[in-house]
Amino acid sequence: MEIKDQLEELYLALIEDEGLKDISIKSFVRPETLEDTEPSIVIIPIGPPQQSNAGSDGYLTKKFMYQINVESIDRKECKQLQAHIEQILLSKGFHQMEGGLDEWIPDLQRYADVRTYSGRGQLYTDY
């Protein structure tokens, strides 16, 4: 039985998008080798997948939550990138959750725009 990887699916959707082609996109942590002045996108799972959509003898899919961190030395660039990411995630069935972060981080000398998204996998798919 092959198990699908929702994190990989979202990662591929972002790196394959023409509007994000020059942006560093990673999962879990921003690369230490990336220049401080370079913008970045980091996808962080918020816990393991959860059972969702109960059926006759089990669950039909999984629910996923991801935190998307965008950092840049330009506040407007953070906003533009997050707006672009939002459209990609909406097309994948994810929606933005309440909360997040929108601030200047003095120690890093970068703006951070952090949002959490929730969505479900395809029905009858093992994740």
Side-chain angles (χ1 to χ4, degrees):
M1 169 174 67
E2 182 178 337
I3 299 213
K4 293 185 84 171
D5 184 350
Q6 184 68 52
L7 176 61
E8 182 178 29
E9 288 180 18
L10 291 180
Y11 171 77
L12 290 173
L14 294 178
I15 66 167
E16 292 171 356
D17 186 87
E18 192 65 26
L20 302 175
K21 69 178 180 175
D22 296 327
I23 308 296
S24 171
I25 303 171
K26 297 293 179 196
S27 53
F28 296 98
V29 69
R30 187 178 197 274
E32 290 182 20
T33 57
L34 191 62
E35 293 291 326
D36 291 344
T37 57
E38 292 296 316
S40 65
I41 298 169
V42 179
I43 310 165
I44 304 168
I46 305 294
Q50 298 176 340
Q51 297 168 335
S52 182
N53 298 67
S56 54
D57 280 346
Y59 291 92
L60 306 177
T61 189
K62 300 279 184 172
K63 180 179 178 182
F64 301 90
M65 288 183 62
Y66 294 99
Q67 177 177 304
I68 308 293
N69 297 2
V70 174
E71 291 183 19
S72 173
I73 60 172
D74 182 342
R75 184 184 64 82
K76 288 184 178 181
E77 182 177 37
C78 278
K79 300 294 170 212
Q80 291 168 340
L81 290 171
Q82 277 289 17
H84 196 81
I85 292 165
E86 180 178 347
Q87 294 308 307
I88 294 168
L89 292 180
L90 283 171
S91 76
K92 298 292 183 187
F94 282 78
H95 63 278
Q96 185 178 345
M97 305 290 292
E98 191 173 317
L101 179 68
D102 185 8
E103 69 180 27
W104 170 254
I105 303 173
D107 294 347
L108 301 176
Q109 295 292 298
R110 288 191 297 271
Y111 291 95
D113 187 323
V114 178
R115 301 179 190 189
T116 302
Y117 294 88
S118 178
R120 287 181 173 71
Q122 296 174 341
L123 290 174
Y124 311 108
T125 302
D126 290 321
Y127 288 94

